[in-house]
């Protein structure tokens, strides 16, 4: 086996583009990207795929909350990123979107770093992953239930599209921000140099290229009628108006690109024969541009 | 973080008691291991306000060849159940051995760590170590860091997707070992469609018959006739802590409706879906391989051809029912 350089994890889980970023005074973007260049046998493959593995910290007037925990492989940087964005405040809540390593693999580390932090969401199973954590720190919340951060509530929402069965979304009532876990995730390449960049900061060409590559790792999607699910998402938007979309695999989507990005993705989901051939769903289906591993955010 | 002691030297040939003495109390915050082999029916690991587990043990499935390693937890707060049950759940990993080799197949949940420690102490010896798993989630790889960090010169059999290589949530494995992991542990391919002989064992890997996570494998081991099915077939639970974790009869199966509801608790895409090709392929797997045992990561092991046939038939019935069940998440926004 060829000799591999040290700190290979840092080459596979990169932090570029100036993260962490304070997107708004009360919204921090933390994490990094999963880079295909860091994996055995992929070092010379071009283009180098980057799937963002990110999370967000909401700084409420009284309490703080992190949306997902970031990828386990990013902890080498995430630990310090959290210090930077919290500026001495404790982390009060961490919302766990689903029981998957890129999203919630740092739960144990976070609850150890912030002993008063409570994990919320559909938190079934986590007591088996982290038997050292008191059960009272792992709180199961259902659709419609919420926690207050002082100046806003964070509302739990059943996900319309689930990566794993326990997937939930979260909604910030003040910023009208929704966190969609694997929904609205997009892949870019290292060569495109888009790490840490939001859609409204990109050129039209950059936005188009990036939004042409949604990451939708939902097995079985094509077995179901997606029109009714798109209709359900539209109903969700009526009840919970959206001004910012965040996900575990993209920077915040806000401003002018918000609506076109939503419509483009919904069109793709509704009819997979149109738009990018990037949907992964059926056993044996050929992977998209970056391969099945990259799509799943686990390069 | 690791101490300066090479734990592999200490563990070589050591009994369980020595292993526990070395490992207990090393890292504050880690749940204390049981300290001794759990007597059947004993409750342990149940510090007030923390997750409950019992019966951390090794169960022989095929003499000298295949072992189930795991414990029992309460059948509550489990995402693969549609509701809490008045009973318990076996959580499992598996170890296969011949005289020269040992294969850890699924490393199981962190809550079953004491059982895994027993397995490492008792079953590795001087054998060459292999590690394999069906899916990179915590119920399959939760103790992988412990196994890789403790065993001498392990080899990883790898056929799914990345991310797994970093979830080594084990304070006994130093950050240096984790960071340099990819340079230390050889990786051998175990992709779908491949067959590999490891001593007297022969593994064939395939795309999972039913799954939730995109990159999920099943594997068939020929010498035991055991099919490792990841989260599938995990619908046999146990009523008491003392109940056997092996089902070897075709009697008293849960109804197809009950099984269907459990299937969609995990594989929720099945609801309101059409997937005859998935069902056809599911059936074909059991026609292609002489499956004599089904080994899921949770739920009872299903042992014996008669029991396997009955459970597969029930699963197929349930798959057809599952497609008619309502998508409750979508209905939240109707």
């Amino acid at each position: 086996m060829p000799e591999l350089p040290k700190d290979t994890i840092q080459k596979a889980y990169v932090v570029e583009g100036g993260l962490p970023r304070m997107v708004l005074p009360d919204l921090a973007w933390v994490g990094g990207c999963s880079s295909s260049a860091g994996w055995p046998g992929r070092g010379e493959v071009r283009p180098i795929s980057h799937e963002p593995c990110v999370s967000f910290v909401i700084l409420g007037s009284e309490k703080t909350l992190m949306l997902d925990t970031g990828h386990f492989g990013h902890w080498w940087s995430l630990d310090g990123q959290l210090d930077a964005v919290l500026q001495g405040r404790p982390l009060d809540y961490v919302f766990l979107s689903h029981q998957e390593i890129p999203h919630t693999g740092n739960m144990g580390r976070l609850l150890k770093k912030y002993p008063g932090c409570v994990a919320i969401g559909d938190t079934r199973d986590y007591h088996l992953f982290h038997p050292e954590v008191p059960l009272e720190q792992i709180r199961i919340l259902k659709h419609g239930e919420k926690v207050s951060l002082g100046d806003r509530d964070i509302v739990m929402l059943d996900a319309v599209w689930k990566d794993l069965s326990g997937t939930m979304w979260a909604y910030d009532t003040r910023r009208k921000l929704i966190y969609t876990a694997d929904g609205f995730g997009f892949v870019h390449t290292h060569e495109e140099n888009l790490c840490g960049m939001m859609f409204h900061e990109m050129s039209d060409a950059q936005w188009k290229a990036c939004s042409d590559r949604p990451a939708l790792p939902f097995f079985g999607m094509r077995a179901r009628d997606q029109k009714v699910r798109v209709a359900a998402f539209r109903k969700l938007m009526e009840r919970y108006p959206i001004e910012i979309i965040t996900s575990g695999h993209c920077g915040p989507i806000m401003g002018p690109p918000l609506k076109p990005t939503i419509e483009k993705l919904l069109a793709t989901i509704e009819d997979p024969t149109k738009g990018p051939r990037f949907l992964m769903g059926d056993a044996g289906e050929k992977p998209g541009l970056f391969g099945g591993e990259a799509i799943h955010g686990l390069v | 973080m690791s101490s300066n002691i090479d734990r592999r030297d200490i563990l070589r040939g050591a009994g369980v008691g020595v292993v526990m003495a070395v490992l207990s109390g090393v890292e504050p915050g880690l749940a204390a291991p049981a300290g001794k082999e759990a007597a059947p029916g004993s409750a342990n690991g149940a510090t007030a306000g923390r997750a409950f587990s019992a019966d951390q043990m090794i169960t022989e499935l095929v003499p000298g060849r295949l072992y189930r390693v795991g414990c029992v937890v309460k059948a509550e707060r489990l995402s693969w159940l549609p509701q809490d049950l008045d009973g318990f759940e076996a959580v499992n990993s598996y170890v296969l051995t011949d005289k020269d080799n040992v294969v850890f197949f699924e490393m199981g949940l962190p809550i079953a760590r004491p059982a895994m420690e027993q397995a490492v102490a008792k079953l590795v010896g001087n054998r060459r170590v292999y590690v394999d798993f069906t899916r990179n989630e915590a119920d399959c790889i939760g103790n992988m860091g412990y196994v890789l960090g403790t065993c001498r010169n392990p080899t990883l059999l790898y056929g799914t997707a990345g991310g797994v290589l970093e979830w080594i949530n084990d304070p006994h494995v130093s950050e240096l070992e984790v960071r340099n992991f990819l340079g230390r542990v050889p990786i051998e391919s175990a992709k779908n469609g491949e067959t590999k002989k490891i001593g007297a064992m022969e593994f064939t890997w395939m795309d999972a018959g039913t799954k939730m996570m995109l990159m999920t494998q099943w594997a068939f081991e020929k010498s035991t006739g055991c099919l490792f099915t990841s989260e599938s077939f995990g619908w046999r639970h146990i009523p008491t802590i003392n109940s056997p974790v092996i089902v070897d009869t075709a009697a008293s199966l849960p109804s197809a409706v009950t099984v269907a509801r459990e299937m969609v608790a995990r594989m929720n895409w099945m609801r309101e879906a059409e997937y005859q090709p998935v069902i056809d392929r599911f059936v074909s797997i059991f026609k292609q391989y002489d499956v004599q045992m089904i080994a899921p990561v949770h739920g009872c092991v299903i042992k014996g051809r008669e029991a396997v046939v009955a459970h597969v038939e029930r699963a197929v019935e349930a798959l057809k029912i599952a497609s008619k069940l309502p998508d409750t998440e979508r209905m939240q926004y109707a």
Side-chain angles (χ1 to χ4, degrees):
Chain A
M1 186 168 174
E3 191 71 22
L4 288 172
K6 289 188 171 136
D7 292 326
T8 304
I9 284 181
Q10 293 187 27
K11 293 188 183 301
Y13 291 89
V14 300
V15 178
E16 298 171 0
L19 292 182
R21 283 186 68 174
M22 292 305 301
V23 176
L24 294 166
D26 54 354
L27 179 65
W29 176 12
V30 299
C33 287
S34 166
S35 170
S36 64
W39 288 88
R42 299 280 296 270
E44 305 305 317
V45 173
R46 295 294 180 272
I48 297 170
S49 69
H50 275 202
E51 177 154 8
C53 293
V54 299
S55 56
F56 301 88
V57 180
I58 298 176
L59 304 168
S61 63
E62 293 175 14
K63 290 186 186 283
T64 63
L65 178 142
M66 189 170 181
L67 294 164
D68 271 345
T69 74
H71 196 293
F72 193 86
H74 274 126
W75 187 253
W76 65 271
S77 173
L78 199 53
D79 191 10
Q81 291 187 33
L82 288 169
D83 292 340
V85 303
L86 285 167
Q87 292 284 296
R89 293 180 70 176
L91 184 65
D92 298 295
Y93 297 106
V94 56
F95 166 71
L96 305 179
S97 67
H98 58 293
Q99 311 91 325
E100 196 203 25
I101 294 157
H103 293 269
T104 55
N106 286 318
M107 188 197 107
R109 286 164 160 165
L110 281 173
L111 266 58
K112 191 173 180 183
K113 184 178 171 77
Y114 303 104
C117 184
V118 175
I120 61 173
D122 182 351
T123 58
R124 293 175 294 168
D125 303 346
Y126 292 95
H127 60 300
L128 306 178
F129 308 162
H130 298 281
E132 74 280 6
V133 175
L135 291 174
E136 64 184 11
Q137 268 189 283
I138 312 174
R139 195 180 302 169
I140 298 173
L141 294 182
K142 296 183 180 174
H143 174 84
E145 293 184 325
K146 57 193 177 186
V147 295
S148 173
L149 302 188
D151 55 350
R152 72 200 72 201
D153 291 332
I154 306 297
V155 185
M156 307 292 107
L157 298 178
D158 271 343
V160 175
W161 293 285
K162 292 177 175 254
D163 186 11
L164 297 178
S165 58
T167 303
M168 292 198 83
W169 292 349
Y171 182 77
D172 174 336
T173 57
R174 179 166 187 262
R175 284 292 182 190
K176 297 183 173 54
L177 173 153
I178 189 167
Y179 181 76
T180 56
D182 284 294
F184 293 93
F186 297 93
V187 186
H188 57 269
T189 68
H190 170 73
E191 291 79 1
E192 287 172 328
N193 197 22
L194 296 176
C195 294
M197 194 182 287
M198 291 179 273
F199 279 178
H200 63 271
E201 298 169 326
M202 298 180 188
S203 69
D204 287 347
Q206 288 173 323
W207 170 81
K208 182 181 184 310
C210 208
S211 60
D212 273 353
R213 297 191 292 258
L216 293 169
F218 306 124
F219 182 76
M221 258 187 97
R222 292 194 181 174
R224 314 171 94 186
D225 179 358
Q226 293 303 326
K227 284 186 173 14
V228 299
R229 281 156 186 86
V230 168
F233 185 76
R234 293 192 187 283
K235 287 281 187 186
L236 180 156
M237 288 197 291
E238 286 176 16
R239 283 187 219 168
Y240 300 96
I242 296 172
E243 294 182 3
I244 306 174
I245 290 179
T246 56
S247 90
H249 301 295
C250 188
I253 305 171
M254 54 203 285
L258 176 67
K259 193 172 176 192
T261 303
I262 290 173
E263 293 304 321
K264 186 174 180 180
L265 186 66
L266 294 183
T268 301
I269 291 171
E270 216 168 17
D271 188 350
T273 62
K274 295 180 183 172
R277 56 175 182 87
F278 207 67
L279 287 176
M280 291 294 290
D282 302 317
E285 180 180 349
K286 288 183 180 178
L289 179 63
F290 298 113
E293 295 91 340
I295 292 169
H296 204 55
L298 302 170
V299 174
Chain B
M1 302 294 175
S2 305
S3 68
N4 291 326
I5 301 169
D6 187 332
R7 67 185 70 79
R8 291 164 291 192
D9 287 330
I10 291 177
L11 292 173
R12 188 187 303 126
V16 172
V18 172
V19 171
M20 293 303 180
V22 168
L23 295 177
S24 64
V26 170
E27 180 69 16
L30 181 71
K36 60 179 181 180
E37 282 191 54
S42 69
N44 51 45
T47 306
R50 286 185 168 74
F52 171 89
S53 70
D55 281 7
Q56 300 270 357
M57 57 180 19
I58 302 168
T59 306
E60 187 176 72
L61 298 175
V62 175
R65 178 56 46 86
L66 175 61
Y67 305 85
R68 173 253 177 194
V69 175
C71 69
V72 167
V73 300
K74 289 182 180 176
E76 58 185 36
R77 298 179 70 122
L78 303 178
S79 68
W80 59 84
L81 295 177
Q83 69 273 329
D84 291 351
L85 300 176
D86 183 19
F88 297 86
E89 181 83 325
V91 294
N92 314 317
S93 51
Y94 299 93
V95 179
L96 300 101
T97 64
D98 65 19
K99 64 180 176 62
D100 297 317
N101 305 282
V102 55
V103 180
F104 288 85
F105 204 101
E106 316 283 29
M107 274 63 63
L109 285 157
I111 200 167
R113 168 73 173 265
M116 184 57 68
E117 290 171 352
Q118 295 179 41
V120 169
K122 288 185 158 181
L123 299 174
V124 174
N126 292 320
R127 292 182 171 96
R128 181 172 175 187
V129 176
Y130 294 85
V131 167
D132 196 0
F133 57 91
T134 57
R135 173 173 44 90
N136 62 323
E137 290 188 75
D139 52 345
C140 299
I141 62 165
N143 295 306
M144 190 176 75
Y146 173 73
V147 175
L148 291 172
T150 308
C151 296
R152 189 185 315 114
N153 299 325
T155 295
L156 178 64
L157 299 168
Y158 189 59
T160 60
V164 61
L165 299 177
E166 287 69 53
W167 204 83
I168 302 178
N169 197 13
D170 179 355
H172 294 288
V173 179
S174 76
E175 284 295 316
L176 187 63
E177 290 177 15
V178 173
R179 285 170 188 267
N180 205 22
F181 170 81
L182 292 176
R184 291 168 59 90
V185 178
I187 300 171
E188 292 186 11
S189 175
K191 289 187 176 167
N192 294 339
E194 284 192 54
T195 296
K196 189 186 293 287
K197 280 187 180 293
I198 298 175
M201 298 170 273
E202 182 178 297
F203 294 89
T204 300
W205 292 273
M206 67 198 80
D207 192 19
T210 47
K211 60 185 180 181
M212 184 64 188
M213 179 177 265
L214 193 60
M215 304 288 184
T216 303
Q217 290 183 305
W218 286 2
F220 179 72
E221 199 288 307
K222 192 174 179 182
S223 73
T224 58
C226 186
L227 184 68
F228 299 93
T229 59
S230 201
E231 76 268 59
S232 298
F233 289 97
W235 33 269
R236 295 305 307 263
H237 315 294
I238 53 177
T240 70
I241 290 175
N242 296 330
S243 302
V245 296
I246 302 170
V247 170
D248 57 7
T249 98
S252 304
L253 267 69
S255 71
V257 171
T258 298
V259 175
R261 287 192 178 133
E262 285 204 24
M263 282 180 170
V264 302
R266 166 69 183 169
M267 299 171 195
N268 57 70
W269 61 269
M270 291 182 178
R271 298 167 300 166
E272 300 179 4
E274 297 295 330
Y275 46 87
Q276 190 60 45
V278 172
I279 297 175
D280 292 342
R281 181 171 172 270
F282 182 91
V283 171
S284 73
I285 290 171
F286 294 93
K287 286 182 179 170
Q288 183 176 357
Y289 298 97
D290 179 19
V291 179
Q292 300 161 53
M293 193 175 326
I294 294 175
V297 292
H298 54 78
C300 293
V301 174
I302 299 163
K303 187 176 178 185
R305 286 190 178 89
E306 184 188 350
V308 167
V309 167
H311 284 77
V312 170
E313 286 175 356
R314 186 51 45 92
V316 173
E317 288 179 71
L319 283 169
K320 294 172 183 172
I321 294 171
S323 74
K324 306 293 182 286
L325 293 177
D327 179 358
T328 52
E329 288 82 29
R330 174 186 68 77
M331 292 163 67
Q332 293 278 16
Y333 307 106

